Amino acid sequence: SEAGELNFCNPRASYTIVRHGTFEKRNKHWPDLMRSKDNSMDNQEFWKHEYIKHGSCCTDLFNETQYFDLALVLKDRFDLLTTFRIHGIVPRSSHTVDKIKKTIRSVTGVLPNLSCTKNM
């Protein structure tokens, strides 16, 4: 683990299932790409994982709702999809993890912690 990483600060953190407007907002702007919308509504493991991995590291600053609201604000502030297109990182193209990290850093100012996984 690299110095300064904020991951799994409290692995016993809990996640609150969301419904209605809150679910719709998260699903529209931060969807679980591995599940259908209906399955995501019942099984919010994706958001649970993100909150336990990252949100548990900032509970002294943000409650769970505030963490997700801030994540959505930051997503809109840093338009990564446009930045990727400008740098030629588009679907069905191949790039190194290093190029993708540097492209993200060009917008956010920080080098992300990324790695490749085999598609299953």
Side-chain angles (χ1 to χ4, degrees):
S1 173
E2 295 177 25
E5 279 187 21
L6 294 175
N7 294 331
F8 299 110
C9 296
N10 179 5
R12 292 188 305 266
S14 63
Y15 168 79
T16 306
I17 297 286
V18 293
R19 301 282 181 219
H20 310 295
T22 302
F23 172 84
E24 294 297 332
K25 179 179 168 184
R26 280 188 204 165
N27 192 60
K28 178 180 179 184
H29 299 286
W30 193 0
D32 181 342
L33 300 176
M34 302 298 284
R35 299 178 188 275
S36 69
K37 180 179 177 180
D38 288 341
N39 192 283
S40 292
M41 190 178 304
D42 294 333
N43 184 334
Q44 298 179 14
E45 286 298 316
F46 171 62
W47 295 326
K48 178 180 179 181
H49 169 79
E50 292 303 315
Y51 183 71
I52 292 171
K53 182 174 183 180
H54 302 295
S56 69
C57 296
C58 59
T59 55
D60 56 333
L61 298 172
F62 308 105
N63 67 32
E64 184 179 328
T65 300
Q66 292 168 327
Y67 165 78
F68 282 104
D69 288 347
L70 177 60
L72 295 178
V73 166
L74 293 174
K75 176 198 133 321
D76 290 340
R77 186 161 154 214
F78 300 115
D79 186 354
L80 290 178
L81 293 179
T82 298
T83 302
F84 285 150
R85 278 193 298 276
I86 290 168
H87 287 86
I89 301 171
V90 295
R92 293 177 293 286
S93 64
S94 296
H95 303 279
T96 64
V97 171
D98 190 52
K99 179 177 180 177
I100 294 170
K101 284 181 176 183
K102 287 179 180 175
T103 300
I104 293 170
R105 183 177 61 191
S106 75
V107 174
T108 65
V110 294
L111 199 59
N113 177 23
L114 298 179
S115 61
C116 291
T117 59
K118 187 172 181 150
N119 189 7
M120 294 191 229

